[in-house]
């Protein structure tokens, strides 16, 4: 198994740092993205690491905050084959509260109907190698 960080808050390399997370995980059987980050940083850093995002077969979005799934729309434009696993609650509204303001920080709810999205309710076995 090989894990490559594509989006992280800090970096000591030529990769762009950005608040959020995206890890590329390559196993014998899979090319996985764990989270997508918030913007194009994932795609820019993947090019620098010679990772072809169109070849990813599984995406796991850990939760419904923009810094973990904000790049979902762009991913769907780049990759039409990967299955995207996310708990159904991830598409509910999420907010950050600052003083008296409620700032939306959730993933675009309209994307949950995409044919690639697999809405989960608890644990899920993808195959003999992957259990969520």
């Amino acid at each position: 198994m090989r894990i490559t960080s594509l989006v992280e808050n800090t970096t000591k390399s030529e990769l762009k740092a950005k608040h959020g997370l995206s890890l590329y995980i390559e196993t014998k059987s899979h090319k996985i993205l764990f989270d997508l980050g918030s913007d194009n940083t994932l795609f820019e850093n993947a090019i620098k690491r010679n990772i072809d995002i169109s070849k990813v077969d599984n995406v796991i979005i850990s939760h419904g905050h923009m810094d973990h799934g904000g790049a979902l729309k762009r991913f769907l434009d780049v990759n039409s084959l990967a299955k995207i696993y996310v708990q159904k609650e991830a598409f509910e509204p999420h907010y950050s509260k600052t003083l008296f303001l409620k700032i939306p920080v959730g993933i675009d709810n309209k994307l949950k109907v995409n044919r690639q999205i697999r809405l989960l309710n608890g644990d899920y076995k993808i195959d003999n190698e992957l259990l969520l």
Side-chain angles (χ1 to χ4, degrees):
M1 177 186 317
R2 186 180 92 192
I3 301 173
T4 304
S5 177
L6 294 176
V7 177
E8 180 53 278
N9 296 350
T10 61
T11 184
K12 293 185 179 185
S13 71
E14 78 284 0
L15 299 183
K16 178 181 174 185
K18 181 74 176 187
H19 176 73
L21 181 69
S22 181
L23 302 174
Y24 174 74
I25 305 166
E26 195 168 331
T27 70
K28 290 180 183 179
S29 306
H30 295 286
K31 295 177 187 323
I32 304 163
L33 281 175
F34 181 83
D35 286 342
L36 300 170
S38 63
D39 62 9
N40 287 332
T41 304
L42 156 69
F43 307 98
E44 295 166 15
N45 287 343
I47 290 168
K48 291 177 184 175
R49 289 288 186 240
N50 295 314
I51 295 170
D52 186 352
I53 298 299
S54 70
K55 305 272 191 235
V56 168
D57 61 350
N58 289 284
V59 174
I60 301 159
I61 299 177
S62 63
H63 63 285
H65 289 173
M66 183 176 272
D67 57 332
H68 294 263
L72 178 57
K73 182 174 181 349
R74 169 85 192 277
F75 178 83
L76 291 168
D77 292 338
V78 171
N79 183 311
S80 61
L81 301 174
K83 293 177 183 165
I84 300 162
Y85 298 93
V86 59
Q87 294 294 319
K88 64 181 180 177
E89 293 86 6
F91 286 101
E92 293 176 0
H94 296 282
Y95 299 95
S96 176
K97 293 179 184 175
T98 305
L99 298 173
F100 298 104
L101 300 174
K102 274 177 54 175
I103 301 165
V105 295
I107 301 172
D108 185 352
N109 187 36
K110 292 180 228 106
L111 298 174
K112 75 179 178 183
V113 298
N114 184 283
R115 65 173 179 75
Q116 290 175 253
I117 304 285
R118 305 295 189 266
L119 295 174
L120 305 180
N121 187 20
D123 295 346
Y124 184 81
K125 183 175 181 176
I126 295 173
D127 60 23
N128 288 332
E129 190 176 62
L130 300 175
L131 174 65
L132 306 176

